[in-house]
Amino acid sequence: MGGFHLSGTVTDPATPSSPELVCSVSVSFDRCKITAVTCTCGNKDIFYCAHVVALSLYRVRKPEQVKLHLPISETLFQMSRDQLQKFVQYLISVHHTEVLPTAQKLADEILSQNSEINQVHGAPDPTAGASVDDENCWHLDEEQVQEQVKLFLSQGGYHGSGKQLNLLFSKVREMLKMRDSNGARMLTLITEQFMADPRLALWRQQGTTMTDKYRQLWDELGALWMCIVLNPHCKPEQKSSWLRQLRRWSSVDVCPWEDGNHGNELPNLTHSLPQGAHGNQEMRPHRTVFTRAIEACDLHWQDRHLQHIIASDLYANYCYHDNQEGSLFDSRGWPLWHEHVPTACARVDALRSHGYPREALRLAIAVVNTLRRQQQRQLEHFRRHKKELLHKGHTSITNMEGWVGHPLDPIGTLFSTLTESGRVGEEGSNTCLDLSDCSSVVSRAELQRMPVQRLLGDGESYVALAVETALIGLGQQRVMPDGLYAQEKVCRNEEQLLAKLQEVELDDSLVKIFRKQAVFLLEAGPYSGLGEIVHRESVPMHTFARYLFTSLLPHDAELAYKIALRAMRLPVLESTASSGDLSRPHHIVSVVPNRYPRWFTLSHIESQQCELASTMLTAAKGDSRRLETVLESIQKNIHSSSHIFKLAQDAFKIATLMDSLPDITLLKVSLELGLQVMRITLSTLNWRRREMVRWLVTCATEVGVYALDSIMQSWFTLFTPTEATSIVATTVMSNSTIVRLHLDCHQQENLASSARTLALQCAMKDPQNCALSALTLCEKDHIAFETAYQIVLDAAATGMSYTQLFTIARYMEHRGYPMRAYKLATLAMAHLNLSYNQDTHPAINDVLWACALSHSLGKNELAAVIPLVVKSVKCATVLSDILRRCTLTTPGMVSALHSRRNSGKLMSLDKAPLRQLLDATIGAYINTTHSRLTHISPRHYSEFI
């Protein structure tokens, strides 16, 4: 080891698959940093190879084993001229192929009087270390960083490449935390590769969006640049260089936009806010993923108040009167920090990222105290103006840029900073700014009397502060952003925050915070997403309210239900929802139903609304008053039939759990919801309709006989005639239903009477589809059966097909009414038309059956049906088959099977009515032959001849 250079050999032991490997390793270092490495192993990676790590650790752990040399320049200085010549010649001899050309060139330059080398005093010494003014930073293989990122991007998210890129980003954060200047260098190399990704241009041309995971990587890239430019120790020239770089990337045509709409920007379809949240969008240039970092370059850390907040736990002013909008301290005398919340939180993130956790915590607490004070001020303001605002029925969205789902994730940053504060060492870390006068606001004597944890109030903890911050952010009324990605991000960010909250165990102090925040959310008007009136396009609160409901329920059920019921609304689907806005000149109320803006996540939002309702139904089991309230809310606010059906099924399951008696109130709720589904889907197509109808009958059966009677009596508002007869009435009249309900004879008769009335009404309304079911249902009542039969006869002439009439005719014969069957068969024949070539027509069996029936009834009936057959059937084979069958047995007797005992006379082909049938059959054969000859092919004609 010489001066600032370490070299050695490292042996990789042999394995079954590879021989022993000896590597020559060389490491340069300067001011506790490794600045350059080489190793003959040839491994290419962003990180040091195992051999470099082994040699470095060997030097750290066994310094006495490493022979130390003076810098080579000192050794050369001690040599005589002969020794120097010997040294140089030996060096050239050992490495002659590598160094001989260089040695020759240097010798020529030294011997030349005017050469550049002779103008400089002395010579460089790599073993002596760098000059004190030189830049010193850890060694980073830039080429390898670029190659690795390029490789991961080319894999397009497969083979865990997304995970690898996230690991690289984590490495950058780790470098920033260690205050390693390579962090920015490495991020620059990563960004260059991201910008060079060929898919960007392709997606732009095709108008397609990038994948969600890839989009999230870009977000992280933007957030990291924000952290880098907000480094409190950053030099102005560094910041200027980064700013130029960021502007260059941002101006590139394919640079992704912040809201994720890049490549397929849709026209603004927001109707209710022409000049509002989404208005004039085309006028302003699009923000890219780097825009916030570019804007952050204008921020600085020179504000005295900010410096005091960051520098000390004990900065306060107890004589301060908190009575202005921009007060520096709250009523307790604790510091506040008034700045655009996401920007203030970006500062917190920057402090954390650059290894200043204690300072980040101080600023985070000041920001949270500011949020709490602002919340209190908003509540007071709304209470003062409540009457006039509610009277007008208007509300404004006070925050066009919500904190949840924001690109900088301000609430997530505050939450993490506060919950991780317990891990920060008590001794703290170096402060980021050297503030010698940080205690100028309070005397030193006062400072000494204050406890170290003065940042927190009585009974408060960092976790409690984090929870309160999350509740404030999640409950904020905010506009739904434009674009699919931004809207999905709102959902994702909300779910991430709620997942963090669910990890926190609620104690009494936290329940107190929940209560306080829940009351604020209900009473804070336009500042809260749960205020009395919300803007039509504000982000719904269903997911958040479900969490609040389940958390508050064991401690304050009344408050829990108030929150959940208030959150059930979904104004964007209400055609008459108030869209007025106090902050803008246009107060527009949409009069066109379903004319809502492009809410890409609407199906997810509706499913969350359904989940909230289901949670309330489950909790309200056994409480009829609450169940009634929840039912009203569902009927008023949920518009999707599939979601109402799901709730009806959920209620039914909860009401009929095996381990307890059925909850009749909940069953009635289930039935009410089922009836609503029936009404909604009656006139619209729904592929689950049959399932819904069957389920409703099951539900009504569980509720009781009066429910079944009721749905049958009002069938026309709930079912189609076909559903009412084939599913509802048939199921009600089945033995299983009678057994299930333990009905007595009187109840059975009442139910049967309702079913028959329904059947006749349906048959009148839709005889084609309901006549057979009506006859079946009316079998046991003579008058009803006669009425149903008459309905069929009346409809036969106009509205019924031969197939339907034949089916009913066969049913009549089966029930022992052959004359009625015959009557219907003749009506069916009148509708039939079989041409000469339809010898496989499905109606042939019906025609043969009708003729057999007529034959069995007698000669007169056969004589009446033959003219109909001749008129309707032109197919020769069918006619000859009928003719043959008619000559086998005597009319009026039971056919074929009993023919041996028959002493009657067989019918003659020469006389009526068979003569007419014979002539028709011969005519049909002649026509068929003519027709086939007319259309015959030459080959078939020669065969025919």
Side-chain angles (χ1 to χ4, degrees), residues 76 161 164-165 198 223 233 681 812 846 856 890 893 913 935:
L76 294 174
S161 56
Q164 294 298 325
L165 288 164
H233 271 322
T681 56
M812 280 291 186
D846 289 324
S856 71
T890 310
M893 307 290 286
H935 301 101

Side-chain angles (χ1 to χ4, degrees), residues 363-407:
L363 182 55
I365 290 169
V367 172
V368 174
N369 284 334
T370 312
L371 289 181
R372 292 154 108 190
R373 179 179 173 278
Q374 181 189 357
Q375 196 183 46
Q376 194 55 41
R377 285 290 172 103
Q378 287 171 346
L379 182 58
E380 289 162 8
H381 176 265
F382 177 65
R383 280 177 178 162
R384 281 197 300 273
H385 302 284
K386 184 175 181 175
K387 272 189 181 171
E388 55 191 271
L389 291 176
L390 292 182
H391 176 68
K392 289 176 183 173
H394 292 157
T395 183
S396 60
I397 292 185
T398 54
N399 214 313
M400 303 313 295
E401 188 182 59
W403 300 331
V404 173
H406 191 282

Side-chain angles (χ1 to χ4, degrees), residues 34-35 135-143 145-146 172 175-176 180-192 225 228 238 242 245 249:
I34 291 175
T35 55
E135 276 289 318
N136 68 318
C137 58
W138 288 86
H139 169 71
L140 181 72
D141 189 334
E142 297 195 358
E143 191 184 332
V145 172
Q146 289 170 308
V172 172
M175 288 168 148
L176 298 181
D180 178 353
S181 59
N182 272 340
R185 268 173 76 208
M186 185 152 158
L187 191 62
T188 302
L189 297 168
I190 293 171
T191 310
E192 288 287 7
W225 275 112
I228 280 171
Q238 259 182 332
W242 291 332
Q245 211 167 248
W249 290 326

